[in-house]
Amino acid sequence: MDWTPFVVCAPEEYAPSARGMGGPEGLGDRLRTAAFAERQAFAAFLWAAETLTDASEELRAAWRRIGLEEEVHLNLLLGRMAELGVKVGERPVSDRLWRRLTMAKTAAEFAVMMREAEARGQAAEESFRRSLAQRDPVTAAIFGRIADDEAEHLAVADRLANL
């Protein structure tokens, strides 16, 4: 998989820990990590829609739609990174999410793994929305929009889980 412009660490390595939120580097690390998670989710939803043929057409269509929404999130985060001067490739990121999701052999397996990932992402984005609200309302609003969309993705996942 070509993850350009991200720099991905080797499969056996972990990405460096995010720096503290007190400085611009820490915010940049979180934006980079969130953007790459969105990139992986975008790719994984489209992969699942094309690969996991045991899913209903309605579920596969929902995965395609959600994948495109993940791409919108990616672009929002990349745009904010550009505004703040955060270099995408400055630090490596991990593609463990992609590798885990694409190990799914069935639609049900993928749905469970993706739901867990979406829930973790939504919790992180809600946290960033709150913690950044006063000092960086623009970034907080982006994380807030993504968190709200992830809540919708979770509702779709729950509704379509048995299709």
Side-chain angles (χ1 to χ4, degrees):
M1 177 63 74
D2 179 9
W3 296 118
T4 305
F6 295 94
V7 173
V8 178
C9 58
E12 67 279 359
E13 295 176 359
Y14 286 93
S17 296
R19 294 168 282 194
M21 280 289 282
E25 297 86 7
L27 177 59
D29 291 348
R30 283 154 184 85
L31 285 164
R32 183 179 303 103
T33 298
F36 191 58
E38 297 294 337
R39 174 65 181 93
Q40 291 174 88
F42 161 60
F45 274 117
L46 298 183
W47 170 86
E50 297 306 314
T51 305
L52 301 175
T53 56
D54 64 317
S56 70
E57 187 49 46
E58 183 180 3
L59 180 56
R60 293 168 71 201
W63 284 344
R64 286 183 198 96
R65 180 183 56 77
I66 292 170
L68 295 176
E69 290 173 6
E70 302 291 6
E71 184 181 34
V72 169
H73 299 162
L74 167 65
N75 289 325
L76 287 170
L77 292 163
L78 289 175
R80 185 63 179 151
M81 290 171 71
E83 291 169 0
L84 295 173
V86 176
K87 294 180 176 75
V88 176
E90 177 184 348
R91 292 177 61 134
V93 291
S94 172
D95 68 351
R96 288 177 192 269
L97 177 61
W98 163 257
R99 287 185 285 117
R100 180 171 183 261
L101 292 170
T102 57
M103 289 175 55
K105 302 290 185 228
T106 66
E109 211 176 296
F110 177 82
V112 166
M113 289 189 284
M114 184 52 86
R115 191 190 191 296
E116 291 170 1
E118 292 279 302
R120 281 191 312 273
Q122 187 207 22
E125 288 140 1
E126 281 293 348
S127 174
F128 295 143
R129 175 183 1 209
R130 287 189 307 274
S131 67
L132 294 170
Q134 295 302 313
R135 75 172 198 212
D136 186 347
V138 173
T139 302
I142 291 169
F143 278 121
R145 175 181 172 182
I146 295 170
D148 293 345
D149 287 351
E150 301 298 3
E152 169 63 22
H153 297 172
L154 290 168
V156 169
D158 291 343
R159 184 173 58 80
L160 298 177
N162 297 315
L163 296 180

